[in-house]
Amino acid sequence: DAGVTQSPTHLIKTRGQQVTLRCSPKSGHDTVSWYQQALGQGPQFIFQYYEEEERQRGNFPDRFSGHQFPNYSSELNVNALLLGDSALYLCASGRPRGSSYEQYFGPGTRLTVT
Amino acid sequence: AQRVTQPEKLLSVFKGAPVELKCNYSYSGSPELFWYVQYSRQRLQLLLRHISRESIKGFTADLNKGETSFHLKKPFAQEEDSAMYYCALSGQGKYGNKLVFGAGTILRVKS
């Protein structure tokens, strides 16, 4: 099991463009969460998907949207990119049992907006 | 509001010295606390969680609800402990709640 995988590894986009990031969860996991990690900061929660629906959302604008597919993989879409969207985007997967659960992180996608 | 504070950006110690990475949190309710570690060029990984009460790689952390702290400790630092350490909390939620992270502390163990 390769664990959580993300693609692409790096991405450079221009301000105003749109971007799609992809995540495949660890085998056996059905929940995917996305985090944004700006330079020098800890990861910040964007949203969480379970059963192909967005279940929780952090304090991010509607420009950030996502999707979960029947095979549990997920996409993060960001529209109208801003310079401030430059960050490492992390995907984490897990299998909730009870009130909380262990999340496994992917290596991240480094997005640079110029 | 949910908040995690790690007051030190960098902690530098000598090999064999004790280590304490500080973490304070703010949460109304009963959170679950975690320590995550990121070694150079590796992904973020769970080090320990307070409900497990385990000792991983010699590290321990005790949840102090009175002081709202979850400090990470190790009696004798090793060079391979050098990494970025993040404290995080999770609330309660039907689908497993989001993680709220601190800004992280770089631990540098010198020989």
Side-chain angles (χ1 to χ4, degrees), chain B residues 59-74:
Chain B
F59 284 98
T60 59
D62 289 319
L63 179 60
N64 185 323
K65 292 184 179 180
E67 296 183 358
T68 59
S69 68
F70 188 58
H71 302 328
L72 183 67
K73 300 177 183 179
K74 185 169 182 177

Side-chain angles (χ1 to χ4, degrees), chain A residues 16-80:
Chain A
Q17 285 188 317
Q18 179 262 344
V19 68
T20 298
L21 310 181
R22 296 177 176 82
C23 170
S24 290
K26 183 176 167 63
S27 177
H29 289 178
D30 54 12
T31 302
V32 172
S33 298
W34 286 92
Y35 293 80
Q36 181 195 65
Q37 186 173 18
L39 201 60
Q41 298 183 22
Q44 272 196 292
F45 177 78
I46 303 175
F47 42 53
Q48 178 191 70
Y49 277 84
Y50 174 71
E51 291 185 335
E52 301 180 49
E53 288 191 23
E54 183 182 294
R55 299 294 180 174
Q56 296 188 78
R57 190 178 182 92
N59 189 24
F60 279 80
D62 292 345
R63 298 187 298 108
F64 289 76
S65 63
H67 189 77
Q68 186 178 35
F69 299 94
N71 67 353
Y72 309 121
S73 67
S74 176
E75 286 182 350
L76 163 65
N77 300 293
V78 186
N79 294 323

Side-chain angles (χ1 to χ4, degrees), chain A residues 77-94:
Chain A
N77 300 293
V78 186
N79 294 323
L81 284 167
L82 304 174
L83 296 179
D85 295 332
S86 295
L88 181 67
Y89 288 85
L90 298 171
C91 170
S93 73

Side-chain angles (χ1 to χ4, degrees), chain A residues 98-114:
Chain A
S99 62
S100 85
Y101 64 104
E102 182 172 348
Q103 296 187 45
Y104 291 78
F105 283 82
T109 293
R110 171 75 61 188
L111 172 64
T112 302
V113 182
T114 61

